[in-house]
Amino acid sequence: MLKWLSSIAYAGTFMPLQGTAIAGEVDALYSFLLWSSLISFVLIVGGMSYFIVKFKRRSNNDKTAYITHNHVLEFIWSFIPFLIMMVIFGWGWKIFHDIKTPPKDAMEVFIKAKKWQWEAEHKNGLKEVGEVHVPVGRPVKLVMTSEDVLHSFYIPSFRIKQDLVPGMYTYLWFDVKEAGTYQVFCAEYCGLSHSGMMAKVVAVPEAEYNAFIDGKAVAKLSPVELGKKLFETRSCSTCHSTDGTIKVGPSMKGFMTRKHEFEGGATFDPASGGVENYIRESVLEPTAKVVKGFPPAMPPFKGSLSDEEISALIEYIKSEGK
Ligand code: CUA
């Protein structure tokens, strides 16, 4: 019985998973409310039942004593509840204040709501729909607005909720304790698909978060732009110039217009087609065709570039080699 009662009265056992430290604080206060209500209920209803039996009028001659008041008793039953109420007020105010005050170093993510989807935009411009990736263990502040009607961003596991209002910005912040996926609901009736207006907060380790937003941001570049970025970040430019200078390997200048001669006598003329396959092979397996006069010094990139990245490099080399 006591075990059953305690499971009912301890919020942490029936509330959704606690995703943040604040969720734990909210649950602790909630448990206090439940327990103090339960104890008050037992004292009041129990006392009342006891008095009904104890002071039942036994006969017509039974007379109630004439009692006007009792200062001590009245003070006690007023002052104790007052103290409890002030504790609840102070405790609740403290948590409310914490929920409403984002840390100064919080990372910002912009959230836009519209019928009926959630859109997140990260600082580097990467957009997501229906998902918000955030790093674990770092305070995140959501700067939110709505495009049409009122919506409300509600994350039960974080015990926080905030309306989004067209024409103004509202804020929400959290610091996720553990990696995981946390459900987001719209908690303000906004029309036909209100109940389907859901999203997920995807909390991942910081390094993974950085890789995630970088990867997506790179994919937003045009193939030539991505290729240029890769050409520099993957050190292609250490050995290959794009201005005709000869470094360790051949320059990319004139790549498309010159006839390529290889060690062993074979040749390749880009004008006859198939340049994509030639570049692809040369990136993945540089020793397959070694350009005459150059050492076979390039490391193979097999497995370290995605198809998309290889295609981007090809487009960049084609555009530089015209
Ligand atoms: Cu958006 Cu309900």
Side-chain angles (χ1 to χ4, degrees):
M1 176 72 176
L2 197 68
K3 201 175 164 222
W4 176 77
L5 273 179
S6 75
S7 77
I8 292 288
Y10 181 60
T13 58
F14 61 87
M15 299 274 250
L17 180 120
Q18 296 169 355
T20 58
I22 280 182
E25 289 178 34
V26 171
D27 286 2
L29 176 55
Y30 198 87
S31 301
F32 178 78
L33 290 176
L34 278 172
W35 273 108
S36 51
S37 302
L38 191 74
I39 292 166
S40 306
F41 177 84
V42 168
L43 287 178
I44 293 167
V45 177
M48 194 172 69
S49 307
Y50 172 74
F51 291 149
I52 285 172
V53 176
K54 161 113 183 167
F55 297 107
K56 185 177 182 294
R57 195 179 186 202
R58 316 257 166 209
S59 72
N60 285 341
N61 296 328
D62 243 5
K63 270 198 182 161
T64 309
Y66 184 68
I67 302 167
T68 53
H69 62 275
N70 184 323
H71 284 307
V72 177
L73 212 54
E74 284 163 14
F75 179 79
I76 289 172
W77 78 44
S78 304
F79 193 70
I80 291 176
F82 169 76
L83 282 184
I84 295 172
M85 289 300 153
M86 289 314 287
V87 166
I88 293 169
F89 169 75
W91 193 346
W93 183 85
K94 201 248 164 210
I95 294 175
F96 181 77
H97 178 265
D98 289 350
I99 287 175
K100 287 286 164 193
T101 316
K104 290 222 163 51
D105 60 341
M107 187 193 96
E108 289 183 2
V109 178
F110 181 70
I111 301 284
K112 191 173 72 186
K114 60 178 170 196
K115 291 192 270 185
W116 287 277
Q117 69 181 28
W118 299 103
E119 198 179 284
E121 187 175 348
H122 296 269
K123 270 279 142 63
N124 68 351
L126 170 69
K127 283 185 185 165
E128 300 180 82
V129 173
E131 277 190 344
V132 193
H133 280 72
V134 297
V136 170
R138 197 169 151 195
V140 176
K141 178 182 172 188
L142 304 179
V143 180
M144 314 191 293
T145 193
S146 166
E147 211 169 69
D148 37 44
V149 297
L150 292 181
H151 301 275
S152 182
F153 199 86
Y154 174 38
I155 317 165
S157 294
F158 302 168
R159 314 283 189 271
I160 52 172
K161 176 159 71 174
Q162 174 62 52
D163 275 15
L164 289 82
V165 184
M168 67 180 277
Y169 295 99
T170 52
Y171 310 95
L172 206 54
W173 83 273
F174 52 79
D175 187 343
V176 190
K177 287 193 294 191
E178 262 176 65
T181 303
Y182 303 90
Q183 184 67 51
V184 178
F185 295 104
C186 180
E188 180 69 62
Y189 183 69
C190 56
L192 190 63
S193 295
H194 156 72
S195 62
M197 190 171 168
M198 293 191 274
K200 286 193 158 64
V201 169
V202 183
V204 293
E206 179 126 21
E208 208 177 304
Y209 169 78
N210 292 335
F212 170 80
I213 61 165
D214 276 1
K216 282 282 182 67
V218 164
K220 277 178 47 168
L221 299 172
S222 74
V224 172
E225 289 169 325
L226 172 58
K228 182 172 165 46
K229 186 171 175 178
L230 290 166
F231 198 82
E232 283 151 15
T233 56
R234 295 308 192 91
S235 305
C236 310
S237 55
T238 312
C239 301
H240 300 282
S241 77
T242 52
D243 60 6
T245 312
I246 301 300
K247 296 184 181 173
V248 180
S251 174
M252 295 301 144
K253 192 181 182 189
F255 190 90
M256 297 298 286
T257 50
R258 69 170 177 254
K259 207 168 156 195
H260 299 253
E261 286 180 51
F262 306 117
E263 296 289 355
T267 60
F268 173 66
D269 184 0
S272 58
V275 72
E276 287 82 0
N277 285 320
Y278 168 51
I279 299 173
R280 185 184 166 86
E281 185 190 51
S282 300
V283 170
L284 298 181
E285 243 190 292
T287 50
K289 294 186 179 71
V290 178
V291 176
K292 203 172 166 192
F294 290 95
M298 182 171 154
F301 280 79
K302 211 170 194 158
S304 72
L305 287 167
S306 69
D307 281 349
E308 192 198 354
E309 290 171 327
I310 294 166
S311 302
L313 275 171
I314 291 171
E315 288 313 303
Y316 176 63
I317 291 170
K318 277 161 71 180
S319 81
E320 283 298 313
K322 267 182 208 142

